[in-house]
Amino acid sequence: MKKNVLIIGGGGVAQVVAHKCAQNNDVLGQIVLASRTKEKCDAIVQSVEEKGSMKLPGKIQTFALDALDIAATEELIRKTETRIVINVGSAFINMSVMTACINTGAAYLDTAIHEEPDKICEDPPWYGNYEWTRKDEFAKAKTTAILGVGFDPGVVNAYAKLAVDEYFDTVDSIDIIDINAGDHGRYFATNFDPEINFREFTGRVWSWQNRQWTKNKMFENKRTDNLPVVGERTSYMTGHDEIHSLSKNLDVPNIRFWMGFGERYITVFTVLNSLGLLSEQPVTTAEGQEVVPLKVVKAVLPDPSSLAPDYTGKTCIGDLVKGKKDGKEREVFIYNVADHKEAYEEVGSQGISYTAGVPPVAAALLIADGTWDVGTMANVEELPPQPFLNLLNQMGLPTSIRDEEGERPLYFS
């Protein structure tokens, strides 16, 4: 059994991860939290203590860490006897943290594909550009790496695998739908890191259609669905991490990702993008100062973690899967509904952070007990989904299903 967890990151998702690790420290052992700003880690620890989240008596250690510094990350892993690293820092650090895990033998978990600061929306498959190039190294080191194990990517990958294996003989399409029906009360803000958020939408939109990569523009394609709890909602096709592994690992000809946006978000985004303020490329001001417009926009927008106290409403995220079973057409929606207020009351973060932060802790528990400790690199859909979804049912992210028999909770033995 593997014990002792290092959480890398100091934002809202890291806060959720810290709380959930604390609630399961009887299995996960010692918890360490590290980010560039130690004060952010200390504030998370204070939240854990105030809410009494530690299952067994203990203390979360905090450290300042530049995770791009591979040697420093390796030193911290060894110093703290860490066996599982949960990387919920910026997507820019993935490859560096992976190297540290290969060199120390610590299992690696993340929630998003690696990105380079000066590149956006690269040619697919995105995992093939970065993480998958290290798969042989993880296999040689007999070290586990689970990629993209947040909610989307992550839980939706498990939903897709479950549907393909259990509910269909053949699958024609998987449409992943992500709706945030909550309200944070601000004129404009992003629910996670503004830099990463905007980078997803300023370039090309890649989808998997007719077994090939298809390119579109943002907000070019939309759909409207009547969804459980949140009702009728419009969403827009955009590129997203999970398409890049599901298209490889599942025999499905059409895989798309849809995200809900309000009219205000679309208007502000369009203006900022049209003015060049969402560019990741540096520009020089009249005063001779070099700045990256996107980073300036990030600096003036609210910190996503600051939205949590006033956030109300719910999220609905799931997989709408269509295909055939026993020769008949079938449609199944496998999904989760989360509540912003409930998330804040439990862990002090909003619902988007909650849905992203609970799954990697469930995955860490499966590595700790050996169920998912596969000794190589894997995406979530390459692993058995039932143990993962069963844990999520117990940890605050229950799975439900809507099919020809209606809507109901989905349980796993």
Side-chain angles (χ1 to χ4, degrees):
M1 174 174 280
K2 284 186 167 67
K3 281 198 170 189
N4 300 340
V5 175
L6 167 61
I7 305 163
I8 297 178
V13 178
Q15 175 150 326
V16 178
V17 172
H19 275 273
K20 287 298 182 178
C21 284
Q23 292 171 12
N24 293 277
N25 71 338
D26 56 329
V27 175
L28 295 176
Q30 175 180 280
I31 303 166
V32 176
L33 184 58
S35 76
R36 288 177 299 175
T37 308
K38 185 176 182 295
E39 288 75 17
K40 288 186 176 182
C41 299
D42 293 336
I44 291 173
V45 171
Q46 182 178 350
S47 173
V48 170
E49 293 173 347
E50 288 174 350
K51 292 185 177 293
S53 293
M54 298 291 277
K55 186 171 184 178
L56 297 180
K59 177 73 175 179
I60 298 177
Q61 299 179 69
T62 62
F63 295 88
L65 174 69
D66 176 1
L68 291 173
D69 185 335
I70 296 170
T73 305
E74 290 180 16
E75 181 182 358
L76 183 59
I77 290 172
R78 293 190 176 100
K79 175 181 177 180
T80 57
E81 299 181 342
T82 290
R83 303 309 303 143
I84 302 173
V85 174
I86 302 178
N87 172 21
V88 285
S90 165
F92 304 140
I93 69 173
N94 287 15
M95 300 302 281
S96 298
V97 178
M98 288 173 66
T99 300
C101 287
I102 291 169
N103 293 341
T104 60
Y108 172 85
L109 300 165
D110 65 31
T111 61
I113 285 177
H114 178 81
E115 295 187 39
E116 288 293 320
D118 60 345
K119 299 177 183 178
I120 60 166
C121 296
E122 298 182 58
D123 290 341
W126 293 345
Y127 282 112
N129 298 337
Y130 296 107
E131 282 86 349
W132 287 345
T133 66
R134 313 298 298 278
K135 184 166 186 174
D136 288 347
E137 293 177 68
F138 274 97
K140 185 177 180 180
K142 297 181 180 179
T143 298
T144 296
I146 311 294
L147 306 180
V149 66
F151 203 100
D152 44 343
V155 178
V156 297
N157 300 58
Y159 290 168
K161 175 66 171 174
L162 182 74
V164 167
D165 287 354
E166 303 293 335
Y167 292 93
F168 293 87
D169 295 324
T170 59
V171 173
D172 178 67
S173 64
I174 299 173
D175 286 292
I176 299 160
I177 304 171
D178 183 327
I179 299 295
N180 175 22
D183 182 9
H184 48 59
R186 307 292 183 92
Y187 179 81
F188 184 82
T190 60
N191 294 299
F192 55 96
D193 185 334
E195 185 174 5
I196 299 300
N197 179 277
F198 288 130
R199 286 168 61 95
E200 288 185 357
F201 312 134
T202 53
R204 299 158 291 178
V205 170
W206 290 106
S207 61
W208 183 250
Q209 303 199 61
N210 298 316
R211 300 189 186 277
Q212 63 184 358
W213 290 106
T214 303
K215 181 171 58 175
N216 292 98
K217 295 178 182 179
M218 189 63 192
F219 304 124
E220 182 177 349
N221 298 304
K222 66 180 180 179
R223 62 184 293 147
T224 300
D225 297 277
N226 190 6
L227 300 171
V229 181
V230 300
E232 189 171 282
R233 297 283 168 170
T234 298
S235 58
Y236 296 81
M237 190 169 71
T238 183
H240 221 246
D241 304 23
E242 52 271 51
I243 302 172
H244 296 261
S245 65
L246 293 175
S247 59
K248 174 179 179 289
N249 293 322
L250 299 183
D251 183 22
V252 177
N254 300 286
I255 306 174
R256 297 164 290 246
F257 184 89
W258 306 82
M259 182 171 282
F261 297 93
E263 288 301 319
R264 182 179 295 170
Y265 183 101
I266 295 172
T267 298
V268 174
F269 172 90
T270 301
V271 171
L272 291 173
N273 198 35
S274 298
L275 293 174
L277 292 173
L278 301 185
S279 173
E280 78 286 358
Q281 299 300 323
V283 298
T284 303
T285 67
E287 295 75 24
Q289 184 176 1
E290 187 177 90
V291 297
V292 175
L294 179 54
K295 291 186 179 294
V296 175
V297 172
K298 173 180 176 177
V300 299
L301 286 177
D303 183 332
S305 62
S306 71
L307 307 175
D310 301 317
Y311 228 130
T312 58
K314 301 180 187 296
T315 68
C316 180
I317 311 172
D319 293 16
L320 180 63
V321 186
K322 297 181 181 181
K324 289 185 177 180
K325 180 69 174 178
D326 299 327
K328 297 179 180 179
E329 299 286 343
R330 191 178 197 195
E331 177 178 311
V332 170
F333 186 51
I334 305 175
Y335 65 96
N336 165 264
V337 171
D339 186 282
H340 288 288
K341 189 172 184 293
E342 291 177 2
Y344 180 69
E345 290 173 349
E346 182 190 349
V347 300
S349 290
Q350 37 97 336
I352 304 299
S353 296
Y354 193 85
T355 58
V358 176
V361 181
L365 289 166
L366 293 175
I367 290 175
D369 72 11
T371 303
W372 273 15
D373 192 15
V374 292
T376 188
M377 177 184 287
N379 290 88
V380 173
E381 68 273 14
E382 297 179 276
L383 302 166
Q386 289 88 348
F388 181 49
L389 298 177
N390 186 49
L391 272 179
L392 293 176
N393 279 345
Q394 302 168 34
M395 294 173 67
L397 291 179
T399 297
S400 295
I401 187 170
R402 182 172 70 182
D403 59 11
E404 62 274 7
E405 298 179 12
E407 297 174 10
R408 61 197 182 277
L410 197 54
Y411 299 106
F412 307 93
S413 58

